[in-house]
Amino acid sequence: MATKSLVKSAQITVVGAAHNCKANKRHRLKKGDIRLTVKEGQSTSHYCVCCGLKILDRSIKKLTSLQTDIKDS
């Protein structure tokens, strides 16, 4: 039986060149910083640590809720 994943392709990467966070343009990523990188279809988005943690927290809560719902049914 093949196992699927609901988690998009996400990883922690190191910034190569300075740029803005995808979620908040006021958050500037500098060369050498770590960031959350998420592949979304054909594109890749990069998020600062602050925004990345918020995304991960929301995703964990959603998955935990789904897990609870399926166990309770």
Side-chain angles (χ1 to χ4, degrees), residues 3-62:
T3 304
K4 299 252 183 194
S5 176
L6 298 176
V7 180
K8 295 179 183 178
S9 176
Q11 59 185 330
I12 302 301
T13 58
V14 178
V15 176
H19 60 88
N20 294 333
C21 172
K22 175 77 173 181
N24 187 333
K25 301 296 182 197
R26 292 177 293 172
H27 294 172
R28 186 80 176 154
L29 294 125
K30 298 177 208 150
K31 183 177 181 176
D33 289 348
I34 61 168
R35 64 187 174 192
L36 176 66
T37 299
V38 180
K39 183 158 174 67
E40 303 176 59
Q42 296 290 341
S43 65
T44 303
S45 297
H46 304 289
Y47 303 94
C48 68
V49 171
C50 178
C51 294
L53 287 172
K54 289 177 187 177
I55 292 167
L56 291 171
D57 286 342
R58 279 194 310 267
S59 298
I60 290 167
K61 286 178 185 173
K62 176 68 175 177

